[in-house]
C-alpha cells in the first residue's frame, strides 16, 4: 500500500513537471519548416542577419488574441528577418495585467497606450527615447502624411513627455468627427416641425411637445424628449465642451480663458446648463431614467430608449454607428437595423447641436490624438529593432511604393486568405469581427490618407451628418493626484449633477458644491495638472 | 396515535414554502432572461421588458459560439484544470489535514498556527507572479494548479472533521496491525465522503470559475481557460472606447452571441451539481460505528 501511494505521487509529480515545460521548441520547428518550404519571393529583405531579432509586440488593441503562427505574421517575420513575440493581453484588465508583468521585470519592445498614460510609464523608467529626427529620417512618407493631416504639428507633441519623444503617435480619423445628433423625424412631423430644431429655444419647444403632444400618436403619454446621451449638447450650448454623461461630470477638463486646463464642472456656463436642465426636468422633458442611462444593455452606442420610442433625441454615438449601406443591408450598423425592425413606420434624421443664448454650440469629439505606440528601453537599446519597425511602418504608408507586399501585409494580411480586392481595386476583408486581429493584422499604424480612401463612402457620410465641434478635447497628462482622487471626484460630480437636474437640490446648491469639490481633491488635482501642462508647453 | 398538525404548523409551512418559491423565482428569472436572449435576434434584445420566453428564435448566437475555437480550447483547458486540479487539491489537503488532526503530532499547534498565518498574510500579487515565473511555470496550465494547491481554509475544515471521528477507530485498526496509510485510505477516508465531497465541490467550482490566474500567467490564446475567454467576450463593447477604428466599431459581438457563450459556459457546472448535492445532505457517520 505504502509503495503504491508513493509511486503514484511520484508519477503525478513527474507529469506536472513535464507539463511545466512549454512547447516553445515545437513552435520554432514548425516555423522553420514553413520558412524552408516557402521560397524567398523577393529581395526586399535588405540583408540576411544570422539570427532573426526577437521583437516583443504589444502594439495593438487587445480586443482579440493574435495567433503566433498566423500566416501573415510568419510572412512578415520572414521578410523582416525578425521573430515577433506577440504579447497576449486582456482588454478589460489591461492595466492590471500589464503592470504586473512590468513589475516582474518583463517588458515588450513596443506597446500601445492612451497618450495620457505616458507619464506613468515614463516614471517607471521603461520608456526609451525615440528622437523625432529618427522618425523624420527613416519615414519620409509617413512624416509628410502626418504633417498634412496635422498642420499645426500637434501630432509630434503627442508621444512627448517633458520634451522627450518616446514613440510613434497614432492618428484617429474618427476622433475628428463630432457625436451625431439624432432626431425622430416622424415625431417632428407630428408636432409640426418641418426642419430640425437649431437653437436652444427650439430644442426646448420641440422636446416639450415630444413629451406632452403625443408625438407617436398612440394616445398615451409614454414619451419623453431626451435622456442622458443628449445632455452633452446642452452643456455645449453654454460653452462647456466634451462634457459627457453625468457619470463623468466630475472629471471633465477644458481650457479656461487663460488657456489653462481646469475642471469643466467649476466653469461659468456649467451653472446655467444645469439650471436649464433642471427646468427641463421639471417640465418632464428629460426622462427620469436618465440617471441609469438610456443605454440599458449591450453595445454602448445603441440607445435602447431611442430605439424603443421612449425618447425622440439622442446623441453620443458617432456617424459609423448609424452607417446605412446603400448597397448591402448586411453591412448596416446595429442602430440602423434595430430601428428599422422596431419602428417600421419611424424615421430618424440628423441634426446639429443647439445654439445657446450667447451663440455657443458644440458637442463632443474624442480628438484625433488619443493613442501612441511607445518604444521601451529594451527596444531603443538595439538600433536594428527601431530601424526595422520604422521601415515596416514607412512602407505601409500610401505613397511609398518600395514594397507593395509589405503594404498589404500590414493593413490586410495575405490576398486570397484574409482579404481580396473588389472591382474598384479596394481591399475587402474576408474576416468577420475581430478575426483580423487574430490573424495577425496587429502591426498597423493608422494611415489617415489610406483610411479615407478605403472607407471613402463611410467618411463622406460622416462629413455629411457629423456636426462640427469647436471644442477641442484637452489632452492633459494625468498625474498621480488624478489617479488618487479620480473616483472620488467622479462620484461627487455625478451626485451633484444628478441632484440638481432632478430638483432634489435647488440650483443654489451648485455654489455650495464647488468649494466642497475643490477642497476634496479638486483643487489639488487641478494644480498638479496645470503644473504638468506648463512643463509640457515648453 | 396519529400526530395531528396544528394550524401553527400549517402557517409555518406555508410561510417557508412561499419564501422558498420566491427565492427560487429570483434565481430562475435572470437565468431565463439569459437563455431567451441567447436565442433572440438583436432587435428583440434592444426592446424593453422582461424576456422570459423567446418570441423569435435565432440560432445565430450559438452558431457563432460553436464556431469559436477559443471557446472549445478554453473548455478543454478548464475541464483539465478542474479535474486534475481538484484531484490533486483534495489529495494534498487530506495528506495535510490528517496529521494535523492527530493529538500526538509533535508541535501540532505550531504547525496549525503557521498555516492559519498564511490565511491572513501573503506575499501579494507581484511576488507570486515572480515566483511562478522563476519556477518556469509561466504559460503552462500547471501555473493554474500548483499555486494554491492547498487552501488553508479547506484544510482546516478537513482537519476539524477528522478530529471529530472517534479515536477508537484508529486504535482498533492498529490492534489489527494496520499502518498509518492503511488506516487513512481504508478506514478514515471512506468515512469522510461528505467532507471530501464538500471540499471537492469547493475546489472544483473555484477552478471552474477562476479567470484571474489565467489572465496573468497564461499568454497563449489556446491555453486560456473558459471563464477568461467568456470575460473577453462579455466585456466587448460595454465601455465606449476612445479612438476605435471603423473596423473595430463594426466588429462588436452581439448580445445574442454573448449570452449564448454564457449559457454554453455555465450549463455543465449546473448539470454536475445535482449529483454532488446528496453528499451534503448525508449525515457524517453513515455506515461506520453504530452506537
Amino acid at each position: 500500500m505504502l509503495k503504491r501511494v508513493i509511486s503514484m505521487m511520484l508519477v503525478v509529480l513527474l507529469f506536472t513537471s513535464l507539463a511545466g515545460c512549454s512547447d516553445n521548441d515545437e513552435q520554432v520547428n514548425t516555423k522553420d519548416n514553413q520558412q524552408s518550404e516557402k521560397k524567398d519571393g523577393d529581395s526586399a529583405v535588405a540583408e540576411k542577419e544570422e539570427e532573426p531579432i526577437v521583437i516583443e509586440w504589444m502594439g495593438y488593441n487587445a480586443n482579440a488574441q493574435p495567433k503566433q503562427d498566423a500566416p501573415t505574421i510568419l510572412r512578415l517575420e520572414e521578410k523582416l528577418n525578425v521573430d515577433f513575440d506577440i504579447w497576449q493581453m486582456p482588454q478589460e484588465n489591461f492595466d492590471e495585467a500589464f503592470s504586473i508583468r512590468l513589475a516582474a521585470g518583463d517588458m515588450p519592445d513596443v506597446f500601445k497606450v492612451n497618450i495620457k498614460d505616458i507619464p506613468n510609464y515614463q516614471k517607471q523608467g521603461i520608456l526609451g527615447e525615440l528622437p523625432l529626427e529618427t522618425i523624420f529620417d527613416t519615414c519620409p512618407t509617413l512624416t509628410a502624411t502626418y504633417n498634412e493631416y496635422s498642420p499645426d504639428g500637434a501630432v509630434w507633441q503627442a508621444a512627448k513627455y517633458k520634451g522627450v519623444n518616446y514613440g510613434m503617435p497614432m492618428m484617429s480619423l474618427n476622433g475628428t468627427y463630432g457625436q451625431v445628433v439624432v432626431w425622430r423625424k416622424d415625431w417632428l412631423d407630428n408636432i409640426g416641425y418641418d426642419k430640425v430644431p437649431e437653437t436652444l429655444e427650439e430644442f426646448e419647444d420641440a422636446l416639450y411637445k415630444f413629451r406632452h403632444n403625443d408625438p407617436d400618436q398612440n394616445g398615451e403619454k409614454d414619451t419623453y424628449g431626451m435622456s442622458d446621451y443628449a445632455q452633452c449638447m446642452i452643456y455645449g450650448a453654454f460653452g462647456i465642451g466634451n462634457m459627457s454623461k453625468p457619470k463623468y461630470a466630475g472629471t471633465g477638463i477644458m481650457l479656461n480663458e487663460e488657456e489653462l486646463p481646469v475642471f469643466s464642472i467649476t466653469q461659468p456656463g456649467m451653472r446655467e446648463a444645469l439650471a436649464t436642465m433642471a427646468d427641463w426636468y421639471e417640465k418632464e422633458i428629460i426622462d427620469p431614467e436618465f440617471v441609469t442611462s438610456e443605454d440599458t444593455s449591450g453595445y454602448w452606442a445603441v440607445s435602447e430608449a431611442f430605439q424603443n420610442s421612449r425618447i425622440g433625441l439622442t446623441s453620443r454615438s458617432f456617424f459609423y454607428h448609424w452607417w446605412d449601406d446603400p448597397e448591402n443591408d448586411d453591412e448596416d450598423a446595429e442602430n440602423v437595423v434595430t430601428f428599422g425592425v422596431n419602428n417600421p413606420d419611424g424615421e430618424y434624421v440628423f441634426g446639429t447641436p443647439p445654439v445657446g443664448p450667447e451663440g455657443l454650440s458644440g458637442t463632443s469629439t474624442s480628438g484625433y490624438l488619443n493613442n501612441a505606440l511607445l518604444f521601451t528601453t529594451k527596444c531603443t537599446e538595439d538600433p536594428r529593432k527601431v530601424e526595422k519597425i520604422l521601415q515596416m511602418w514607412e512602407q505601409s504608408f500610401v505613397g511609398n511604393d518600395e514594397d507593395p507586399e509589405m503594404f498589404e501585409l500590414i493593413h490586410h494580411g495575405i490576398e486570397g486568405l484574409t482579404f481580396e480586392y473588389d472591382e474598384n481595386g479596394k481591399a475587402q476583408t474576408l474576416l468577420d469581427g475581430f478575426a483580423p486581429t487574430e490573424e495577425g493584422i496587429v502591426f498597423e499604424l493608422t494611415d489617415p490618407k489610406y483610411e479615407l480612401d478605403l472607407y471613402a463612402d463611410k467618411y463622406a457620410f460622416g462629413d455629411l451628418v457629423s456636426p462640427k465641434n469647436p471644442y477641442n478635447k484637452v489632452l492633459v497628462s494625468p498625474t498621480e493626484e488624478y489617479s488618487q482622487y479620480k473616483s472620488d471626484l467622479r462620484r461627487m460630480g455625478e451626485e451633484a449633477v444628478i441632484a440638481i437636474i432632478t430638483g432634489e437640490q435647488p440650483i443654489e446648491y451648485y455654489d455650495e458644491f464647488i468649494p466642497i469639490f475643490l477642497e476634496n481633491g479638486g483643487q489639488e488635482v487641478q494644480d498638479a495638472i496645470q503644473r504638468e501642462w506648463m512643463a509640457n508647453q515648453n | 396515535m396519529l400526530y395531528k398538525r396544528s394550524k401553527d404548523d400549517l402557517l409555518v409551512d406555508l410561510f417557508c414554502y412561499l419564501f422558498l418559491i420566491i427565492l427560487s423565482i429570483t434565481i430562475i428569472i435572470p437565468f431565463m432572461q439569459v437563455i431567451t436572449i441567447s436565442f433572440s435576434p438583436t432587435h428583440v434584445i434592444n426592446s424593453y421588458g422582461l424576456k422570459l420566453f423567446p418570441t423569435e428564435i435565432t440560432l445565430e448566437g450559438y452558431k457563432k459560439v460553436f464556431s469559436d475555437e477559443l471557446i472549445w480550447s478554453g473548455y478543454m483547458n478548464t475541464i483539465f484544470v478542474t479535474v486534475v486540479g481538484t484531484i490533486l487539491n483534495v489529495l494534498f489537503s487530506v495528506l495535510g489535514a490528517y496529521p494535523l488532526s492527530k493529538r500526538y503530532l509533535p508541535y501540532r499547534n505550531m504547525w496549525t498556527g503557521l498555516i492559519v498565518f498564511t490565511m491572513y498574510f501573503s506575499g501579494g500579487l507581484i511576488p507570486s507572479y515572480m515566483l511562478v515565473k522563476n519556477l518556469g511555470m509561466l504559460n503552462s496550465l500547471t501555473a493554474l494548479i500548483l499555486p494554491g494547491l492547498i487552501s488553508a481554509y479547506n484544510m482546516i475544515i478537513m482537519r476539524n472533521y477528522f478530529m471529530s471521528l472517534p479515536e477508537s477507530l484508529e486504535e482498533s485498526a492498529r490492534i489489527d496491525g494496520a499502518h498509518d496509510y492503511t488506516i487513512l485510505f481504508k478506514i478514515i477516508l471512506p468515512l469522510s465522503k461528505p467532507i471530501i465531497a464538500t471540499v471537492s465541490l469547493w475546489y472544483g467550482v473555484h477552478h471552474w470559475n477562476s479567470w484571474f490566474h489565467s489572465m496573468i500567467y497564461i499568454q497563449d490564446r489556446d491555453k486560456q481557460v473558459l471563464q477568461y475567454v467568456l470575460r473577453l467576450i462579455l466585456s466587448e463593447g460595454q465601455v465606449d472606447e476612445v479612438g476605435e477604428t471603423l473596423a473595430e466599431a463594426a466588429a462588436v459581438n452581439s448580445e445574442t452571441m454573448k449570452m449564448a457563450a454564457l449559457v454554453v459556459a455555465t450549463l455543465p457546472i449546473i448539470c454536475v451539481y445535482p449529483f454532488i448535492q446528496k453528499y451534503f445532505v448525508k449525515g457524517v457517520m453513515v455506515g461506520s460505528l453504530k452506537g
Side-chain angles (χ1 to χ4, degrees):
Chain A
M1 182 70 213
L2 179 69
K3 273 187 188 166
R4 261 174 55 193
V5 171
I6 289 181
S7 56
M8 209 170 80
M9 280 163 57
L10 283 174
V11 168
V12 167
L13 270 178
L14 182 75
F15 268 112
T16 48
S17 60
L18 279 180
C21 310
S22 64
D23 54 0
N24 275 344
D25 315 346
E26 246 181 3
Q27 271 188 4
V28 173
N29 282 339
T30 53
K31 259 183 210 164
D32 284 352
N33 291 342
Q34 277 171 319
Q35 289 197 346
S36 57
E37 280 167 26
K38 271 191 184 147
K39 285 196 182 120
D40 243 34
D42 44 52
S43 52
V45 185
E47 54 191 65
K48 278 277 181 206
E49 289 98 355
E50 294 180 4
E51 277 287 299
I53 313 173
V54 178
I55 295 184
E56 297 192 39
W57 193 261
M58 184 47 244
Y60 61 98
N61 275 358
N63 41 27
Q65 278 51 49
K67 298 173 186 162
Q68 275 287 2
D69 53 355
T72 305
I73 297 181
L74 293 178
R75 181 75 190 118
L76 262 174
E77 287 176 332
E78 192 184 350
K79 280 178 80 80
L80 295 161
N81 191 31
V82 295
D83 180 3
F84 282 115
D85 179 0
I86 314 258
W87 276 40
Q88 312 276 348
M89 290 305 237
Q91 187 184 17
E92 198 191 0
N93 306 68
F94 178 86
D95 290 341
E96 194 178 6
F98 197 56
S99 48
I100 292 170
R101 289 191 69 174
L102 292 177
D106 278 359
M107 60 169 94
D109 286 299
V110 173
F111 62 105
K112 181 177 175 177
V113 292
N114 194 310
I115 288 172
K116 53 180 210 289
D117 295 332
I118 294 178
N120 305 348
Y121 293 112
Q122 195 267 344
K123 285 191 184 82
Q124 292 181 40
I126 64 163
L127 299 185
E129 184 180 358
L130 173 70
L132 284 177
E133 290 68 36
T134 313
I135 299 181
F136 299 158
D137 293 346
T138 323
C139 314
T141 321
L142 182 154
T143 308
T145 306
Y146 269 27
N147 287 335
E148 184 182 337
Y149 285 89
S150 175
D152 57 351
V155 64
W156 301 116
Q157 299 301 317
K160 267 189 181 174
Y161 180 60
K162 295 192 174 164
V164 182
N165 188 60
Y166 291 108
M168 178 67 83
M170 301 181 86
M171 282 204 200
S172 157
L173 269 179
N174 302 339
T176 57
Y177 289 85
Q179 296 175 350
V180 287
V181 179
V182 194
W183 288 91
R184 276 296 293 263
K185 187 173 183 319
D186 49 324
W187 288 17
L188 285 171
D189 293 344
N190 290 342
I191 58 164
Y193 266 81
D194 50 2
K195 66 173 182 67
V196 287
E198 285 161 19
T199 63
L200 202 61
E201 291 85 28
E202 286 174 350
F203 263 63
E204 185 177 345
D205 179 58
L207 293 174
Y208 185 85
K209 288 175 179 161
F210 276 0
R211 170 64 183 155
H212 299 279
N213 293 12
D214 191 22
D216 54 353
Q217 297 178 334
N218 65 351
E220 286 173 49
K221 198 171 179 179
D222 55 358
T223 53
Y224 288 92
M226 57 180 262
S227 185
D228 61 321
Y229 275 12
Q231 290 180 7
C232 174
M233 312 184 261
I234 314 299
Y235 292 118
F238 292 96
I240 309 273
N242 296 304
M243 189 67 155
S244 167
K245 296 163 61 168
K247 186 182 162 187
Y248 305 119
T251 48
I253 288 173
M254 61 187 276
L255 292 182
N256 64 4
E257 288 99 24
E258 289 128 49
E259 295 290 309
L260 282 172
V262 286
F263 280 118
S264 310
I265 198 165
T266 62
Q267 292 307 292
M270 187 76 195
R271 195 180 193 275
E272 293 144 81
L274 287 174
T276 305
M277 284 197 271
D279 174 46
W280 288 14
Y281 187 88
E282 209 178 341
K283 294 175 178 164
E284 299 183 358
I285 287 174
I286 298 176
D287 181 355
E289 289 191 14
F290 85 90
V291 177
T292 52
S293 183
E294 62 193 77
D295 161 46
T296 45
S297 77
Y299 190 30
W300 67 268
V302 178
S303 158
E304 277 75 19
F306 187 81
Q307 294 286 7
N308 290 291
S309 304
R310 185 181 167 91
I311 55 173
L313 168 71
T314 188
S315 184
R316 201 143 196 267
S317 43
F318 292 98
F319 68 92
Y320 48 90
H321 296 121
W322 292 89
W323 169 243
D324 191 345
D325 197 296
E327 285 150 27
N328 183 356
D329 280 352
D330 291 344
E331 296 291 314
D332 288 356
E334 188 182 332
N335 269 317
V336 178
V337 177
T338 305
F339 191 89
V341 181
N342 282 10
N343 313 291
D345 306 327
E347 273 182 275
Y348 58 88
V349 62
F350 297 97
T352 49
V355 179
E358 318 236 320
L360 296 165
S361 166
T363 171
S364 179
T365 33
S366 35
Y368 74 105
L369 297 170
N370 293 302
N371 300 314
L373 289 149
L374 301 183
F375 286 50
T376 59
T377 47
K378 193 161 104 185
C379 184
T380 49
E381 273 166 14
D382 188 345
R384 291 180 307 162
K385 282 186 190 177
V386 177
E387 178 87 3
K388 277 186 192 293
I389 295 167
L390 289 181
Q391 274 182 348
M392 176 177 89
W393 281 335
E394 166 68 8
Q395 287 165 8
S396 74
F397 264 62
V398 173
N400 181 316
D401 301 330
E402 252 177 78
D403 189 347
E405 193 198 10
M406 183 70 87
F407 184 90
E408 284 179 359
L409 280 170
I410 302 284
H411 290 294
H412 304 290
I414 293 172
E415 193 180 352
L417 196 67
T418 59
F419 80 100
E420 59 189 9
Y421 287 109
D422 65 7
E423 64 276 10
N424 306 326
K426 285 194 179 175
Q428 295 291 345
T429 178
L430 296 169
L431 304 166
D432 275 352
F434 292 124
T437 305
E438 292 179 6
E439 291 298 336
I441 318 292
V442 290
F443 304 98
E444 191 173 20
L445 178 64
T446 307
D447 174 356
K449 202 179 265 183
Y450 182 57
E451 292 266 312
L452 274 175
D453 172 61
L454 186 66
Y455 302 113
D457 46 0
K458 276 192 186 174
Y459 282 114
F461 172 69
D463 290 329
L464 192 71
V465 304
S466 305
K468 293 278 167 286
N469 184 28
Y471 303 119
N472 288 325
K473 188 152 188 162
V474 186
L475 264 180
V476 292
S477 319
T479 52
E480 281 159 44
E481 290 84 355
Y482 179 84
S483 323
Q484 184 189 337
Y485 288 111
K486 184 171 112 176
S487 52
D488 290 349
L489 296 177
R490 281 210 172 149
R491 189 180 44 79
M492 282 192 286
E494 180 179 22
E495 279 173 8
V497 165
I498 289 176
I500 292 172
I501 294 178
T502 54
E504 194 185 317
Q505 297 277 10
I507 186 66
E508 287 72 34
Y509 172 72
Y510 175 81
D511 307 322
E512 290 165 41
F513 163 76
I514 292 304
I516 298 173
F517 176 85
L518 290 172
E519 264 166 52
N520 285 285
Q523 190 66 50
E524 201 179 322
V525 177
Q526 198 165 293
D527 292 345
I529 286 177
Q530 289 183 359
R531 273 199 306 275
E532 292 270 343
W533 175 263
M534 307 275 253
N536 257 344
Q537 290 304 299
N538 312 324
Chain B
M1 163 172 169
L2 263 176
Y3 171 72
K4 261 191 75 123
R5 301 164 55 106
S6 68
K7 274 198 179 129
D8 286 0
D9 286 345
L10 276 175
L11 206 66
V12 169
D13 276 4
L14 196 73
F15 180 77
C16 282
Y17 281 116
L18 207 66
F19 178 75
L20 286 175
I21 287 169
I22 291 171
L23 191 71
S24 312
I25 288 176
T26 58
I27 294 166
I28 290 170
I29 282 190
F31 203 70
M32 284 172 77
Q33 179 106 335
V34 167
I35 291 177
T36 305
I37 287 179
S38 72
F39 282 113
S40 303
T42 311
H43 61 87
V44 173
I45 298 162
N46 284 338
S47 58
Y48 280 150
L50 272 181
K51 305 173 187 70
L52 297 185
F53 303 102
T55 46
E56 290 177 59
I57 298 245
T58 170
L59 295 175
E60 229 20 67
Y62 286 95
K63 272 186 200 149
K64 260 187 124 166
V65 168
F66 288 128
S67 65
D68 189 329
E69 55 194 51
L70 263 193
I71 287 190
W72 296 118
S73 65
Y75 240 120
M76 295 318 292
N77 295 330
T78 293
I79 289 171
F80 176 82
V81 169
T82 305
V83 172
V84 175
T86 307
I87 289 171
L88 290 175
N89 287 144
V90 173
L91 178 69
F92 283 91
S93 302
V94 166
L95 293 180
Y98 184 64
L100 286 177
S101 71
K102 295 295 165 210
R103 259 188 284 163
Y104 51 78
L105 179 76
Y107 306 113
R108 182 173 75 140
N109 287 342
M110 185 194 78
W111 297 126
T112 313
L114 284 177
I115 286 164
V116 171
F117 180 82
T118 65
M119 287 167 66
Y120 294 96
F121 303 96
S122 71
L125 192 54
I126 289 168
S128 306
Y129 178 86
M130 292 175 85
L131 179 69
V132 169
K133 186 183 162 191
N134 294 335
L135 289 172
M137 293 197 293
L138 272 192
N139 208 9
S140 83
L141 291 178
T142 42
L144 309 182
I145 295 175
L146 286 187
L149 185 65
I150 296 178
S151 132
Y153 177 80
N154 289 357
M155 190 163 122
I156 284 167
I157 299 256
M158 267 194 168
R159 161 183 168 267
N160 293 350
Y161 180 88
F162 289 144
M163 281 168 79
S164 73
L165 292 174
E167 285 180 33
S168 46
L169 277 174
E170 191 192 349
E171 285 162 16
S172 58
R174 265 197 211 290
I175 290 167
D176 290 341
H179 286 291
D180 281 330
Y181 281 108
T182 322
I183 293 168
L184 173 59
F185 285 101
K186 288 269 158 79
I187 293 169
I188 304 289
L189 284 195
L191 292 181
S192 313
K193 270 188 198 154
I195 192 73
I196 287 184
T198 311
V199 168
S200 303
L201 189 86
W202 283 340
Y203 276 127
V205 170
H206 164 80
H207 279 305
W208 187 271
N209 287 337
S210 79
W211 54 270
F212 188 77
H213 284 178
S214 177
M215 176 180 96
I216 58 175
Y217 296 140
I218 304 288
Q219 280 125 44
D220 288 3
R221 56 207 300 275
D222 56 354
K223 287 187 191 155
Q224 276 152 353
V225 298
L226 181 64
Q227 294 298 335
Y228 178 61
V229 175
L230 193 63
R231 273 184 80 83
L232 291 178
I233 294 173
L234 290 180
S235 63
E236 248 176 47
Q238 298 282 20
V239 186
D240 42 346
E241 246 195 88
V242 175
E244 59 184 352
T245 63
L246 289 187
E248 278 164 352
V252 176
N253 278 317
S254 62
E255 286 297 277
T256 312
M257 190 261 182
K258 290 180 182 180
M259 292 304 147
L262 195 60
V263 170
V264 167
T266 326
L267 271 185
I269 203 84
I270 292 178
C271 297
V272 169
Y273 203 83
F275 296 100
I276 308 180
Q277 205 215 2
K278 64 178 185 193
Y279 292 105
F280 290 116
V281 184
K282 267 197 181 155
V284 172
M285 297 291 290
V286 178
S288 112
L289 293 174
K290 300 274 190 295

